[in-house]
Amino acid sequence: MEQILNILIADDNPSDRILLKAILSQFGHNVISAVDGQDAVEKFDPDTIQLVCLDVKMPRKDGWEAALEIQRAAGDLFVPIIFLSGVADPIALSNCLRIGGTDFISKPYSPALITAKLNAIVRLLVMQKTLEEQRDAMSLYNEQLVHDQNVAKVVYENITHSNCLKDPALSTVHYGTHTFNGDVILAAYKPNGGMHLLLGDFTGHGLSAAIGALPLADIFFDWTKKGFLMRQIIPEINARLKSILPANMFCSAAFIDIKVNNKSIDIWNGGLPDLLFFSQQSKVPVRFESKNLPLGILPPDVFECQIDPVTFVPGNRLVVFSDGVYEAQDKSGAMFCHSVLNPLYEGEIADDQALDWMVEQLTQEGVLENPHDDISCLSIRLDSNIGIESHDHGVPTSHHEAPADFSFEYVLNADSLRNTDPLPYVLQIITTVPGLSSFSSQVFMILSELYSNALEHGVLGLKSDKKSSSDGFSQYYDEREQRLAALKDGFVKISVKVTSSDNERVLALYVEDSGSGFDYQNVNFDMSSSELLYNRGLALLDQLCHKLEFCKGGRGVTAYYHWQVGQDD
């Protein structure tokens, strides 16, 4: 800043005014003179005047009155005001400072004293100018930061909110401590019915915590849409987070796979509080504790999925919540998990009121007024219709479908059966057929049912009647994993053929296994007559397909699926 100032001086005494102007001009400053307070107010320009010197006693408008009007005209600008006085009254001088004066100069004027005071004023103005520049820079930086956060938030919400959270079976509660929430709740319909859900809690808060949710959500939605299984998606998410997150960052999460075909759910808990399963069989909810490390900690070669399977009947409910609830503190300083949540764990709270009850407790204990952690809760009313009628796949129907005729065959030996799931890849090829992508949900359901039957009953020799109880259901899948891990021989062959005729298209799915077959002639295809938890797959296929054909003693089956050009699903 230049030390040459534009100075406005006001004094009704001509000799004093001329003398002061001469002294200030001698130092090189630009001086504008006013004959009294009113004249000073009229000549004050906040854009050019950097210092004002006012005599205290002047006609028309004294120095104090003029100072107040000049300060109002200056607004947010800092313009120092120095009062000029020939009196030594302490009250009068203190009044100069009280109304905002920076200093005062006593008459008669001393050039040495004026020089010292002007140097102090210059230093003050330089400091003020520096502060204003820093303030403006901070303001610009803050505006840019808010803009960047808004853009990032839109991208974040576009990715993480590709949800089916509005499904009537779901209820959620979400409170964030920052613009970005380190918690995430994801839900996606599966191609074959049912739903995948994930409640995740990243370490930390705000934008840094939310960044990890982007790859997590991307994999979750993309892989679910393609038909990958929960036990395939979780390791992929873990590997991705492990590769990109810093060492001190991870995601505690619960992954739930709702399987409507056999009315069961698979639960994977990695570091979240116990999931609560409410059923009519017990007043106290079943707790599913964490059996896995959070996502993003273990390298892929040592990562394992410990999954809890459980059967359900319509109306059962699963409740999940993050550490923001579990570790919240009540007014006495006790953690919720040791005090407030006990009635919920002991079954004293109705399952359909669990979320409302938790919000009420968080409010009463003052947690929501000043949350120290992001808070997320999820309640799932389990039902066999979840995802069945979904139109969430977003694939437009083509009314100008080109005819297609092709076939391919896919044979999986024991090694392939142990280590791969062919269904997402087969489905991707099938849905390249013009118009068939609109029916990917039904096609995937047919394909997955045929493949599961071939693998589990044909190759592995498992019996469905083991799934007649909740315990048996869990034992069935434990035995499935054991037999699959020990599999040395066997195969499953998948043949796909698409034919076109006029406006009608036919998809023929043939699946053959190396098992011993079964008595297909006595299969009951009436789904409404069965109350069992199992043996509903073939009845479902019979409803979805135009025709089912068995061969080779039940080791092979062909499912014919018809659709027409321009037909909507």
Side-chain angles (χ1 to χ4, degrees):
M1 181 179 191
E2 295 289 341
Q3 295 186 358
I4 303 301
L5 303 179
N6 295 321
I7 304 174
L8 172 65
I9 62 173
D11 195 327
D12 61 319
N13 187 316
S15 59
D16 287 347
R17 185 171 65 246
I18 292 171
L19 176 59
L20 180 59
K21 181 177 181 180
I23 295 172
L24 296 175
S25 299
Q26 183 180 3
F27 297 141
H29 300 299
N30 301 316
V31 180
I32 301 170
S33 299
V35 296
D36 54 36
Q38 181 61 40
D39 190 28
V41 171
E42 294 172 356
K43 289 181 176 177
F44 175 72
D45 182 353
D47 294 330
T48 58
I49 301 298
Q50 296 163 297
L51 174 63
V52 176
C53 298
L54 297 173
D55 188 19
V56 174
K57 294 182 178 180
M58 293 184 290
R60 295 209 293 168
K61 188 166 289 181
D62 63 28
W64 297 328
E65 294 172 321
L68 293 175
E69 292 196 29
I70 286 172
Q71 288 173 338
R72 281 196 292 272
D76 293 333
L77 292 175
F78 173 66
V79 180
I81 297 177
I82 294 178
F83 286 98
L84 311 171
S85 177
V87 300
D89 181 5
I91 297 176
L93 297 178
S94 64
N95 194 40
C96 294
L97 300 178
R98 183 180 60 78
I99 65 173
T102 304
D103 205 343
F104 53 83
I105 298 175
S106 300
K107 298 179 182 179
Y109 299 127
S110 163
L113 181 61
I114 291 175
T115 302
K117 288 184 180 290
L118 283 178
N119 288 337
I121 292 295
V122 168
R123 289 195 296 271
L124 182 63
L125 288 173
V126 170
M127 183 184 302
Q128 180 66 24
K129 183 68 174 177
T130 301
L131 289 175
E132 289 176 352
E133 290 175 349
Q134 292 176 344
R135 180 201 61 192
D136 293 342
M138 288 293 293
S139 178
L140 182 62
Y141 172 77
N142 187 60
E143 289 179 6
Q144 184 64 41
L145 182 62
V146 171
H147 175 266
D148 291 346
Q149 285 196 344
N150 288 334
V151 172
K153 188 176 181 183
V154 170
V155 175
Y156 175 79
E157 291 178 347
N158 284 341
I159 294 177
T160 60
H161 292 191
S162 303
N163 274 317
C164 52
L165 288 177
K166 293 183 179 179
D167 189 290
L170 306 180
S171 302
T172 61
V173 173
H174 222 34
Y175 290 95
T177 56
H178 295 74
T179 302
F180 288 92
N181 195 331
D183 286 2
V184 61
I185 302 178
L186 307 177
Y189 295 118
K190 299 189 298 182
N192 60 336
M195 184 184 289
H196 279 165
L197 295 118
L198 185 148
L199 192 154
D201 180 1
F202 281 89
T203 49
H205 311 291
L207 180 58
S208 61
I211 286 176
L214 298 180
L216 182 150
D218 190 36
I219 297 171
F220 177 86
F221 289 118
D222 188 46
W223 282 48
T224 296
K225 184 178 180 180
K226 290 178 179 176
F228 285 93
L229 305 177
M230 181 178 83
R231 57 184 168 82
Q232 297 172 301
I233 299 174
I234 293 174
E236 177 65 18
I237 293 175
N238 175 73
R240 184 76 64 85
L241 295 184
K242 177 63 178 175
S243 66
I244 64 173
L245 295 182
N248 61 347
M249 189 172 175
F250 52 83
C251 179
S252 299
F255 200 125
I256 301 110
D257 181 4
I258 301 176
K259 302 176 177 178
V260 294
N261 290 353
N262 55 16
K263 296 180 182 177
S264 70
I265 54 176
D266 283 347
I267 298 172
W268 181 92
N269 187 357
L272 276 193
D274 295 354
L275 280 68
L276 305 181
F277 178 72
F278 295 85
S279 70
Q280 284 73 36
Q281 296 177 339
S282 172
K283 176 187 175 185
V284 178
V286 179
R287 299 172 65 160
F288 290 92
E289 64 182 9
S290 172
K291 296 180 179 177
N292 305 273
L293 287 176
L295 299 166
I297 293 180
L298 293 176
D301 56 336
V302 297
F303 182 80
E304 294 182 353
C305 276
Q306 297 292 326
I307 295 173
D308 289 312
V310 60
T311 57
F312 70 83
V313 296
N316 290 166
R317 190 175 291 270
L318 188 69
V319 174
V320 193
F321 47 85
S322 63
D323 282 345
V325 176
Y326 190 78
E327 297 177 353
Q329 293 185 350
D330 63 19
K331 291 180 178 177
S332 69
M335 293 174 63
F336 267 39
C337 59
H338 299 311
S339 57
V340 175
L341 294 180
N342 287 336
L344 183 66
Y345 290 140
E346 293 166 3
E348 297 174 3
I349 309 300
D351 60 278
D352 60 342
Q353 300 297 318
L355 257 60
D356 291 340
W357 179 83
M358 279 194 281
V359 172
E360 184 179 349
Q361 303 308 307
L362 291 165
T363 303
Q364 290 180 356
E365 298 297 333
V367 176
L368 296 185
E369 293 180 4
N370 185 27
H372 297 289
D373 195 2
D374 300 322
I375 293 171
S376 295
C377 309
L378 168 65
S379 175
I380 310 163
R381 178 178 49 78
L382 297 166
D383 191 277
S384 57
N385 292 322
I386 293 176
I388 294 296
E389 301 297 332
S390 167
H391 294 275
D392 191 49
H393 309 296
V395 180
T397 301
S398 170
H399 293 273
H400 304 284
E401 301 163 3
D405 290 276
F406 71 89
S407 63
F408 65 91
E409 186 173 274
Y410 201 18
V411 181
L412 297 101
N413 59 21
D415 286 340
S416 298
L417 292 171
R418 283 198 310 272
N419 300 312
T420 62
D421 179 3
L423 300 189
Y425 308 105
V426 175
L427 182 67
Q428 284 190 28
I429 298 174
I430 292 176
T431 52
T432 61
V433 176
L436 193 53
S437 59
S438 299
F439 308 95
S440 60
S441 175
Q442 293 95 323
V443 172
F444 189 83
M445 192 175 296
I446 296 168
L447 185 61
S448 61
E449 194 62 38
L450 291 174
Y451 180 73
S452 295
N453 284 339
L455 175 63
E456 295 175 7
H457 306 313
V459 177
L460 301 179
L462 294 165
K463 303 298 182 185
S464 291
D465 54 8
K466 286 188 175 180
K467 295 189 285 186
S468 59
S469 67
S470 297
D471 291 340
F473 190 87
S474 178
Q475 293 170 3
Y476 176 90
Y477 281 98
D478 286 343
E479 190 171 344
R480 179 189 186 279
E481 294 304 311
Q482 293 171 5
R483 293 192 183 190
L484 187 61
L487 187 66
K488 300 296 183 184
D489 300 304
F491 71 87
V492 172
K493 178 192 296 181
I494 301 173
S495 298
V496 178
K497 184 176 183 181
V498 175
T499 57
S500 302
S501 174
D502 296 328
N503 290 333
E504 188 171 71
R505 310 286 187 260
V506 178
L507 169 67
L509 294 171
Y510 173 74
V511 177
E512 179 184 339
D513 62 71
S514 57
S516 56
F518 72 105
D519 183 11
Y520 60 87
Q521 294 181 334
N522 290 317
V523 172
N524 183 0
F525 291 107
D526 184 3
M527 293 184 67
S528 63
S529 66
S530 175
E531 297 296 331
L532 296 176
L533 297 171
Y534 58 93
N535 267 347
R536 302 174 77 244
L538 290 177
L540 179 64
L541 288 179
D542 186 61
Q543 287 190 349
L544 291 173
C545 298
H546 181 73
K547 182 172 61 175
L548 288 177
E549 285 183 352
F550 294 92
C551 64
K552 299 183 178 180
R555 292 192 296 109
V557 58
T558 304
Y560 295 91
Y561 183 79
H562 291 202
W563 80 100
Q564 293 183 341
V565 174
Q567 181 183 354
D568 202 348
D569 60 344

